Amino acid sequence: MTRKIKIFDTTLRDGEQSPGASMNTQEKLVVTRQLLRLGVDVIEAGFPISSPGDFKSVQQIAEVVGDKAVVCGLTRAVEKDIDVCADALKNCPRPRIHTGIGVSPEHLKYKFRGMTLDEAIERGVHAVKHARTYVEDVEFYAEDAGRAPFEDLARMIEAVIAAGATVVNIPDTTGYNMPWYFGERIKYLCDHVKGIENVTISVHCHNDLGMATALAMEGVRNGATQVECTINGLGERAGNTAMEEVVMAIAMHEAELDAHTDINSSEFLQASRLVSSITGFPVQPNKAIVGANAFAHSSGIHQDGVIKERSTYEIIDPSSVGAAGSSIVLTARSGHAALRMRLEQLGYQIEDGEEFEKVHKAFLELADRKKEVMDEDLHSLMGERAREESALYTLKSTQISCGQPLTPTATVTLVDPFGNERTACDYGTGPVDALCKAIDKVVQADCDLTEFSVQSVTRGIDALGEVTIRITAADGQVYSGRGSECDITVSSAKAYLNALNRMLQKQV
Ligand code: KIV
Ligand code: ZN
């Protein structure tokens, strides 16, 4: 039997830290259920002290997970953080507190204003001991371990193991390392740290040089038995190690690495679509494992090879990552049972009764406009419903006049948080500009629209057009919004309003 590599998912914590990727509690629970279907070993549910919303999410995620995985909460090496985290996890059957402090010269000098290494070690040791008063399972992260001198890092790790850490996380926080150098770092710890053989070594790598997966693999090759990762590689700045990449790489090289994971890889495509739809972060078509082109062959030579034998140009069987497609075709004639089954397979649980009827009605409206409703359409439809449910302002109607040589003019009617209908009109450089200006007149929020993109959800002229918008608030925070409709001007209005709603909800 090869070594088991535990998969620690941090989509809901580090992933959610990507500017504009914030998720509300309901969205996090949908992602949690998908993580359970994947069979991850640990779910990092959030940073409980950071906000009451995060605290509540961690509690509810722990409830949904039960004993199916370890649920972990992040803290700084600060007693109050640890107390709040322990409180959020108090009913969790398998709780873990993740605490830590910086170790690199850069972090000690600037972030901790000249703290010495000894002082940082003392803070780390104290935090681990404090966390151990609440839970048995304590993970310690030595932040920016990737830029710390090997001996400094070894001293800190040895001290926290002696204090009771059960998992030691060696993050390349800034994605600075070359893979072989990161591997040497892990090997050095294995060879020099007393007690390291009794704990789990975890790696947490960022993608600033596009090497997060390679770094994690070198970590595994040199002794790590836990990898921290996210769906689609979401995460701070350039992101984290992508779970789908690291799991498939381990599966492909199991013998050479003496390693395996227990992940159900056939759920990857589903997980990727779900997270993309919820966060509003599109997946690039050439993304490894889950991109739309990951198993598409376009040149004649390649097509000829694949037709003769798939393995000529494919190292992964598409069905092993869930890319085989669904056998159920959903149309306007599909009944409740087929819709419910497909939605459940996609990760959505909807109570019978009024709630399900509303979804079914929205599905029929869409099916009337499209011949076939694909999985991507269902993700969009469910995303649209979730956005509407939590909205402060909702879109009632839009009317646009545009065309050469007219001045684009838009009229919108919104329903405000008190249930009143409010109408405004304005003109702009194009129909979307006019719509956004008319919405601004009603909402009166202080922000700039900084990004706009439109993508067709599926192929064909009848496809839904999904618009993603990012806005920057006056305090510099970025919020993203999504909207999907067959008419892309309506998608645009919905996406803009969704971003404004997210901003207003964070500000109240
Ligand atoms: O990148 C990092 O160092 C982190 C830690 C909090 C684990 O995210
Ligand atoms: Zn990180």
Side-chain angles (χ1 to χ4, degrees), residues 278-295:
I278 286 177
T279 57
F281 275 51
V283 176
Q284 72 197 57
N286 56 331
K287 165 82 181 63
I289 317 293
V290 290
N293 292 349
F295 302 102

Side-chain angles (χ1 to χ4, degrees), residues 13-14 74 98 141 143-144 169 171-173 204 206 228:
R13 198 277 298 169
D14 208 317
L74 185 76
H98 191 187
Y141 63 88
E143 198 178 10
D144 203 16
N169 178 9
D172 190 3
T173 304
H204 174 118
H206 279 267
E228 307 197 0

